[in-house]
Amino acid sequence: MPGSVCDIFKEPFQKYKLEQNHDVMEACKEFIQNEESKINVDEVLGNINYGEWLDKSEELQDLTKRMLESMLKVWKSPKYKAYIKKGKSINEGSYVCELLAPLLNIVMSDLPGKPIAWDIWGEEGSSASATRKGSRKIARRADYMMVAQLGKNAELEIVYLETGRPNSSQDKRVRDHKKLIRFSKDSIDTTRNMKNLKKIFNQPSTRQNLTIFTINIAGDVIELYAMRKESGIYKYCLIEKATIPLHMTSPSAVYLLIHALMTLRMAVACTIYKILYSSDSGDSEHSSSEMVVTVSTPKNS
């Protein structure tokens, strides 16, 4: 198309274009500069223990506010209002994209200690499953995984999630529960089968901290589990359970969900940190059975 004709064609649409805005540009500059200053700055947590709040007070408040704002969008959504009032169905994709993914992306980002970890939302099979099955082509896919880098070419799948619709059937919930158990066992087994992970977990001090976490979204309930292997026995236990409020409700009800998500955040961060920085001279004198993966309510300052 000749230039002059093209310009004439575009002319009616020029009214939609905006001029550059100084405030937006300054906000971009400030954000990038602040984030660049944080890069490569190691966060030293020191001698931390399970069951401790690892984030500072202002960070906890910021995380909580962001999760509440994310849930508010769902509470205001006509789709979820119709589900609550009229029982109209919500499919799994909407449930994940509109509620679960935003919450997990908030609570599992920038973990204390700044470990290298990333999320995978159902787009690829589990490496742990592929190792057991002998092929990535037939590996099982989790709805969500978090992978932690523990060393060069040493990656551990440390969190798995399975979900369905808010009103999913009991059979679906049981199948997801069994699937998460299988994922957890496969991941623990990779620390014996994969060379790069085996080097790390040959040390008793790192092996005693090896825990895999799973999230079973059983309808409108979140269940947080953990698996460990002790004396050759795989132990799988419920840590936290909370209702997912799909409409605005009491602060105490909302708190239970946020507390469960924060428990996951602190437990995963502490586990990764202890695996990375433990030594035989440090934690080996403590029995692995002493580990309690839970979070108590912070005291008012």
Side-chain angles (χ1 to χ4, degrees):
M1 183 182 293
S4 57
V5 177
C6 183
D7 291 340
I8 294 172
F9 184 81
K10 290 180 179 179
E11 189 173 334
F13 300 95
Q14 297 302 310
K15 62 184 179 183
Y16 301 114
K17 297 183 70 174
L18 293 172
E19 295 181 357
Q20 278 198 349
N21 184 280
H22 174 75
D23 294 331
V24 175
M25 176 59 76
E26 287 303 308
C28 291
K29 287 181 180 179
E30 182 180 356
F31 179 85
I32 297 298
Q33 289 170 358
N34 288 340
E35 290 304 311
E36 285 180 340
S37 67
K38 299 176 185 176
I39 295 176
N40 297 326
V41 177
D42 292 332
E43 183 179 351
V44 180
L45 296 180
N47 186 24
I48 61 172
N49 296 304
Y50 294 101
E52 293 181 353
W53 292 85
L54 305 179
D55 291 296
K56 297 177 182 177
S57 177
E58 58 270 22
E59 292 168 340
L60 289 173
Q61 291 178 23
D62 178 64
L63 285 168
T64 302
K65 183 179 179 181
R66 288 165 59 197
M67 283 190 277
L68 289 170
E69 289 173 344
S70 178
M71 285 190 285
L72 183 60
K73 293 177 182 178
V74 170
W75 296 340
K76 288 184 174 181
S77 167
K79 182 191 301 183
Y80 287 85
K81 287 181 179 179
Y83 170 75
I84 296 297
K85 294 179 180 179
K86 301 178 182 178
K88 288 193 174 181
S89 180
I90 295 175
N91 63 43
E92 183 177 325
S94 294
Y95 200 30
V96 170
C97 294
E98 295 163 359
L99 178 64
L100 302 177
L103 287 176
L104 276 173
N105 288 339
I106 291 168
V107 81
M108 298 307 288
S109 63
D110 298 322
L111 291 176
K114 305 299 181 187
I116 300 174
W118 57 93
D119 302 329
I120 299 174
W121 282 97
E123 66 264 26
E124 62 182 66
S126 160
S127 294
S129 176
T131 300
R132 177 174 61 86
K133 289 175 174 284
S135 171
R136 185 168 285 277
K137 291 182 179 180
I138 57 174
R140 285 191 168 193
R141 293 187 182 188
D143 290 335
Y144 165 90
M145 296 187 294
M146 169 170 270
V147 182
Q149 184 172 321
L150 305 180
K152 187 177 181 181
N153 299 321
E155 299 172 359
L156 178 70
E157 294 171 0
I158 194 167
V159 182
Y160 298 97
L161 174 146
E162 285 294 318
T163 185
R165 301 181 180 192
N167 59 345
S168 60
S169 67
Q170 183 63 26
D171 285 345
K172 163 66 173 167
R173 300 175 192 186
V174 171
R175 288 197 305 271
D176 285 348
H177 183 71
K178 292 179 179 179
K179 189 176 178 182
L180 289 169
I181 292 174
R182 181 77 261 182
F183 276 130
S184 302
K185 184 178 182 299
D186 286 347
S187 186
I188 288 176
D189 289 345
T190 60
T191 64
R192 292 294 194 193
N193 301 329
M194 297 182 70
K195 181 180 178 182
N196 293 321
L197 285 174
K198 190 174 181 179
K199 287 181 181 178
I200 295 171
F201 288 100
N202 270 344
Q203 301 295 330
S205 56
T206 53
R207 191 144 200 93
Q208 74 173 17
N209 287 305
L210 175 59
T211 308
I212 306 302
F213 300 92
T214 65
I215 310 158
N216 189 11
I217 305 297
D220 63 350
V221 173
I222 180 172
E223 299 172 345
L224 173 60
Y225 292 85
M227 178 180 281
R228 297 170 55 80
K229 186 178 182 182
E230 297 177 355
S231 303
I233 300 172
Y234 296 90
K235 298 181 178 180
Y236 193 67
C237 184
L238 177 68
I239 300 172
E240 285 281 1
K241 182 177 181 179
T243 298
I244 302 171
L246 300 179
H247 60 91
M248 190 174 291
T249 183
S250 67
S252 58
V254 178
Y255 174 85
L256 292 176
L257 172 63
I258 293 179
H259 186 273
L261 291 170
M262 290 291 197
T263 297
L264 175 67
R265 174 181 174 85
M266 304 306 164
V268 171
C270 190
T271 298
I272 296 173
Y273 193 83
K274 282 184 173 288
I275 289 171
L276 288 173
Y277 300 108
S278 63
S279 63
D280 287 334
S281 60
D283 291 341
S284 59
E285 63 187 33
H286 300 293
S287 168
S288 60
S289 63
E290 292 176 356
M291 172 180 155
V292 179
V293 188
T294 185
V295 176
S296 57
T297 305
K299 297 178 181 179
N300 293 327
S301 55

